[in-house]
Amino acid sequence: MSKNQKDTKTLEKLKQFFRANRSGGAGYRLPEAFVLGGDVEREISSETPLPQRAKIIKELSEVVLNHHVEDESIKKMWHCVKDLLQDNMPREYRHLAFYFLRCLVQGQSERLGMARVHYFQLVRSHRNPEDVGPRLELLMGLLDGGRNIEFLEEEVAKFMAEWIGQIALADREADFLQVLVNLVKYNAAYIDEDVMHGFVHNVCVMAMKCPHINIGTSCLQVLENIVCYSTLPPQSLQIYVCCLCRTVNKEAYCVQSWKIMRNLLGTHMGHRSIYTMVHLLQDPSSCNDAYLLRGAVFHITFALWSSKRVEKLSSQCTYTSILPSFLCAVKSGHSVVVFEVVQALHRVVTKYGLQLVDIWWTIILSVLEAIISHIETGPADAITPSITSHLHETLCTIETMIELGQFNGSVRSVFQLMDRCSSIRPESSVMRLITYLSRSIVPTQADWLGKLHSILDRYLHQETRTSVRLRALEVLSSVIQSNRLHFEEELIERVVLPHLEHIEEERDAAVRNAEATLVVDVCVASVADNKHLPGLLDILDKLLLRAFELHDSPVTEAEVQDVKTTVEGVIRIFTSAMYHVPSSHAVRAFQMLVSHLEMHYAKPVVFDGVTSIRVMILECFMRLRVDNTYRLGYPVSQPGQTGPVRYSQYLLVEHSPPPPTPPALPPSSPSP
């Protein structure tokens, strides 16, 4: 009989076995034991050429996988194919032998008994690096994916811990991890602590470094099962926590990572885990690992202060023990870490602000100050606007608590923070800040004029928002009015003149107008015997000339509102100074009005459309009166009203002597 005929005969026997175990169309009936006949045994043995042998083995694989095989036949099959596992065999035949053995142990798993140890030793002792994949598949079949380790309890976990490096080189991590998931879930009691530590270490390293999401997810599943079905070795806690802190930064792992961390924190190692994360935030060696720090902040925040917090920890871990580590995290300088911290503080202030005491507020404000420093000095990146937004929301919440009397910390410290970031705070907040700062500007306070200088420098000269600058001028006006009686000269000399001497250079029309009003009010109030009045009039004189120096075309009344205010003020100064000495102040004011009016006619194009200013000056001149002793007077009543005229005791109008009165002629007598 030829070899082809023998091969065909063997295949026919296998096919008859399949047909014999089928019923009439209702599916499979209970299988009968398959007995390895002499012909089939010879065809799969080393006596048969490899190609024909491989063909029969492939057909036989389906038999041993799906049908009961007689015990003696199992042994014979092993002896027939074991030579294919030698290193000198071509790779495809070695892999075929492993595939056949996998089908054999998977199909006959319930009857292998102690033979399981033999097949495990095969997997363990075979060293060819090309066969790592088939060895793993054989082990998966032998262990039922990690669920059944009968007779292998003492060895399989240790072997897998040692084998994980070769698995990674062969890119078979996904299958290996799935076995490990089931091994921990169903057989954790048989895994020694040192072996479990090895699993944790290798799986954590793989999870942190592997870019493939499916592998990372399997790694986290292993870590979850270790916490749920076993006990995490104490020496593994550090790397376990670090792994969860890093993986939580990835969107694909975030939910799963937090779930595992929450499970860990619910165990007897919960407090130690919190301490480990706090230590990571404070450790200088961790300051360059932005995502490790961010993950630690995230887990601490959610564990202690979120709606899914771990109750036994949140009630025992105080802000004093946690928040200082957040300060260290902010000082690391990483924007992603600062963003996580400011979110955490916003959550704390919003949800638990009423429960916080002074010492806790001190720490929170210190962290907020560090966040402000980061915004000021750190690099501007895409996340900086989000940091700024959460910072402002937190500060606004604190402001609201202060207004409602619910803030238990240092109000002074809060406003110092707002002063530092006032340039990016809302206008309403800056207004409240200026109001608070103005309360300390009283003569009984040390350096009260220095504080006034500080407000004007920061909120008048450096600020760009009109309403804020006007509020600073209101503070100056209020301080002058309140302290004029005793400190008028000092305020004018040390504050008004230095800060307002160049108002003609001010670009903001509203601010320029307010500054002119303030200078006028100071002049009118101090018109009597004020040695600084000439300097104040110089400021107003430069403001009157400004429009003519800057404009060569017609201006609108809105553009020169400050000039109109100044003219009104100079008129008030003139009509007040004429009743006081030295009279030179009144003369100077009168000359300013005359000079300004002359400029209107010398350069008429500028104020061509603004007649109200000329009308005011001319009306003032037309209301002047002189009595019979040539004293200058001005009506007490308002324009358009009749009333008495008040004459100055110090101003006389220059005049020529009146012509002599001609002598009276003697009366002539009537004609006769």
Side-chain angles (χ1 to χ4, degrees):
M1 183 180 294
S2 66
K3 293 182 178 180
N4 290 336
Q5 290 175 333
K6 289 182 179 180
D7 187 34
T8 304
K9 183 177 179 182
T10 302
L11 291 177
E12 286 297 325
K13 289 182 178 180
L14 292 175
K15 292 177 181 179
Q16 289 174 6
F17 177 80
F18 284 125
R19 288 194 293 269
N21 285 284
R22 295 181 185 273
S23 58
Y28 292 101
R29 62 182 173 85
L30 291 175
E32 297 178 356
F34 174 79
V35 179
L36 184 66
D39 293 339
V40 177
E41 181 180 358
R42 187 170 49 256
E43 291 295 332
I44 65 173
S45 68
S46 58
E47 300 176 5
T48 304
L50 287 176
Q52 297 178 16
R53 189 180 180 190
K55 188 175 181 180
I56 300 301
I57 290 175
K58 290 179 181 178
E59 292 288 340
L60 191 59
S61 297
E62 185 178 351
V63 175
V64 299
L65 178 63
N66 297 307
H67 298 78
H68 173 62
V69 179
E70 188 259 339
D71 290 344
E72 191 64 27
S73 295
I74 295 176
K75 298 178 182 178
K76 291 180 180 180
M77 290 177 185
W78 159 247
H79 288 290
C80 288
V81 301
K82 66 179 181 180
D83 64 299
L84 294 176
L85 300 175
Q86 298 175 4
D87 290 341
N88 59 355
M89 282 289 177
R91 181 175 63 178
E92 60 181 296
Y93 295 112
R94 293 199 310 271
H95 291 187
L96 175 61
F98 274 113
Y99 171 73
F100 174 76
L101 293 176
R102 177 189 176 182
C103 293
L104 181 64
V105 300
Q106 190 171 342
Q108 314 304 315
S109 60
E110 297 179 357
R111 290 175 296 279
L112 287 179
M114 288 298 297
R116 293 169 58 83
V117 178
H118 172 75
Y119 290 111
F120 173 73
Q121 292 300 331
L122 169 64
V123 174
R124 187 174 193 172
S125 60
H126 192 86
R127 300 296 183 181
N128 195 319
E130 294 181 344
D131 300 339
V132 173
R135 289 167 63 199
L136 176 60
E137 292 173 358
L138 175 57
L139 184 64
M140 290 171 63
L142 182 64
L143 303 181
D144 188 19
R147 298 174 181 85
N148 181 9
I149 61 171
E150 186 180 9
F151 304 116
L152 307 174
E153 295 88 346
E154 302 295 331
E155 301 181 44
V156 66
K158 184 176 181 181
F159 166 68
M160 291 188 68
E162 297 170 350
W163 199 25
I164 192 169
Q166 298 180 37
I167 292 294
L169 294 176
D171 293 330
R172 296 300 299 267
E173 297 97 326
D175 292 332
F176 181 86
L177 289 171
Q178 194 55 51
V179 176
L180 195 54
V181 166
N182 291 328
L183 181 67
V184 174
K185 182 175 182 179
Y186 295 101
N187 300 284
Y190 300 104
I191 303 177
D192 294 336
E193 184 177 285
D194 59 330
V195 175
M196 187 68 78
H197 173 63
F199 283 149
V200 173
H201 178 82
N202 288 292
V203 170
C204 287
V205 171
M206 190 182 300
M208 290 185 286
K209 292 185 176 181
C210 184
H212 303 293
I213 294 178
N214 61 328
I215 294 178
T217 302
S218 297
C219 289
L220 292 179
Q221 185 63 54
V222 173
L223 299 179
E224 182 178 3
N225 283 0
I226 290 174
V227 171
C228 293
Y229 301 101
S230 181
T231 300
L232 180 69
Q235 64 269 31
S236 302
L237 182 63
Q238 176 83 14
I239 193 169
Y240 193 97
V241 169
C242 288
C243 177
L244 295 180
C245 288
R246 287 194 175 94
T247 53
V248 78
N249 289 278
K250 298 181 180 180
E251 184 178 358
Y253 307 144
C254 183
V255 175
Q256 188 177 7
S257 180
W258 160 238
K259 177 184 176 183
I260 299 171
M261 177 60 78
R262 193 175 190 278
N263 291 338
L264 174 63
L265 296 175
T267 68
H268 67 287
M269 303 185 76
H271 281 90
R272 187 173 174 184
S273 301
I274 291 289
Y275 171 79
T276 299
M277 289 186 283
V278 169
H279 178 71
L280 288 174
L281 295 176
Q282 296 175 338
D283 188 359
S285 62
S286 304
C287 65
N288 293 325
D289 196 336
Y291 291 102
L292 176 65
L293 300 180
R294 183 191 186 190
V297 173
F298 174 87
H299 283 310
I300 292 174
T301 302
F302 269 69
L304 301 181
W305 307 313
S306 73
S307 58
K308 296 182 180 180
R309 61 187 176 274
V310 181
E311 292 293 343
K312 73 172 186 177
L313 294 179
S314 61
S315 61
Q316 297 176 11
C317 295
T318 65
Y319 300 101
T320 311
S321 61
I322 301 298
L323 291 178
S325 63
F326 282 18
L327 180 60
C328 297
V330 172
K331 291 181 178 179
S332 68
H334 302 292
S335 293
V336 291
V337 179
V338 176
F339 175 69
E340 206 65 47
V341 170
V342 75
Q343 278 190 311
L345 292 186
H346 182 256
R347 182 186 297 272
V348 169
V349 170
T350 303
K351 295 186 65 174
Y352 307 104
L354 299 179
Q355 305 171 16
L356 301 176
V357 297
D358 182 58
I359 188 171
W360 296 343
W361 276 117
T362 301
I363 303 174
I364 291 175
L365 295 178
S366 298
V367 180
L368 291 175
E369 183 178 8
I371 294 172
I372 294 173
S373 298
H374 174 81
I375 295 174
E376 292 174 344
T377 61
D381 47 32
I383 204 171
T384 301
S386 298
I387 296 174
T388 305
S389 175
H390 282 82
L391 172 65
H392 288 322
E393 290 177 7
T394 305
L395 291 176
C396 287
T397 302
I398 295 175
E399 274 188 315
T400 303
M401 295 174 64
I402 292 174
E403 291 180 358
L404 297 176
Q406 299 171 341
F407 183 71
N408 299 319
S410 170
V411 176
R412 179 173 174 271
S413 298
V414 173
F415 282 109
Q416 284 178 341
L417 281 183
M418 295 181 183
D419 189 29
R420 284 195 57 179
C421 61
S422 60
S423 60
I424 53 177
R425 290 289 294 154
E427 289 187 8
S428 58
S429 176
V430 180
M431 296 292 195
R432 284 191 289 269
L433 171 62
I434 295 175
T435 300
Y436 172 80
L437 296 176
S438 65
R439 294 172 186 165
S440 63
I441 304 177
V442 292
T444 55
Q445 293 286 334
D447 194 29
W448 67 290
L449 288 181
K451 295 176 181 177
L452 181 58
H453 273 292
S454 178
I455 291 178
L456 295 176
D457 282 334
R458 187 169 182 84
Y459 300 108
L460 177 61
H461 301 304
Q462 298 178 22
E463 183 61 63
T464 58
R465 290 168 287 188
T466 300
S467 57
V468 175
R469 302 181 69 194
L470 294 177
R471 181 71 185 103
L473 287 172
E474 290 175 7
V475 171
L476 175 57
S477 176
S478 176
V479 171
I480 292 173
Q481 291 177 11
S482 302
N483 301 281
R484 175 179 287 122
L485 182 62
H486 301 291
F487 300 97
E488 178 182 61
E489 183 174 334
E490 190 175 4
L491 285 168
I492 295 175
E493 180 179 356
R494 296 180 55 184
V495 180
V496 177
L497 289 176
H499 286 281
L500 303 181
E501 63 179 342
H502 297 297
I503 62 176
E504 77 281 358
E505 299 176 2
E506 174 61 53
R507 296 179 178 272
D508 192 320
V511 175
R512 194 168 61 245
N513 184 61
E515 290 175 333
T517 301
L518 192 149
V519 173
V520 168
D521 291 341
V522 172
C523 290
V524 172
S526 60
V527 72
D529 195 20
N530 184 352
K531 65 179 182 179
H532 297 295
L533 192 59
L536 297 172
L537 291 176
D538 288 340
I539 294 174
L540 297 177
D541 197 17
K542 288 184 287 186
L543 196 57
L544 291 176
L545 295 174
R546 178 181 181 278
F548 296 105
E549 294 174 351
L550 295 181
H551 300 283
D552 293 319
S553 57
V555 295
T556 63
E557 189 160 346
E559 292 176 316
V560 291
Q561 181 62 41
D562 56 315
V563 177
K564 185 175 181 180
T565 299
T566 303
V567 170
E568 291 176 347
V570 173
I571 293 174
R572 288 172 56 201
I573 295 170
F574 168 63
T575 57
S576 298
M578 61 189 297
Y579 305 111
H580 301 279
V581 290
S583 56
S584 58
H585 296 164
V587 174
R588 172 70 189 283
F590 181 79
Q591 291 173 345
M592 289 171 60
L593 293 173
V594 172
S595 298
H596 186 69
L597 186 61
E598 288 176 347
M599 289 294 295
H600 275 256
Y601 295 104
K603 198 174 181 180
V605 66
V606 178
F607 286 88
D608 185 53
V610 183
T611 60
S612 57
I613 295 176
R614 295 193 295 273
V615 169
M616 284 192 297
I617 297 175
L618 292 173
E619 186 178 63
C620 172
F621 292 168
M622 295 298 294
R623 299 187 71 197
L624 292 175
R625 298 290 184 267
V626 178
D627 64 3
N628 56 358
T629 60
Y630 299 100
R631 293 182 304 167
L632 188 63
Y634 199 80
V636 178
S637 61
Q638 296 296 322
Q641 299 178 358
T642 59
V645 176
R646 183 184 178 188
Y647 291 96
S648 172
Q649 301 295 322
Y650 312 106
L651 288 177
L652 298 176
V653 177
E654 292 184 359
H655 61 281
S656 301
T661 304
L665 297 175
S668 58
S669 59
S671 299

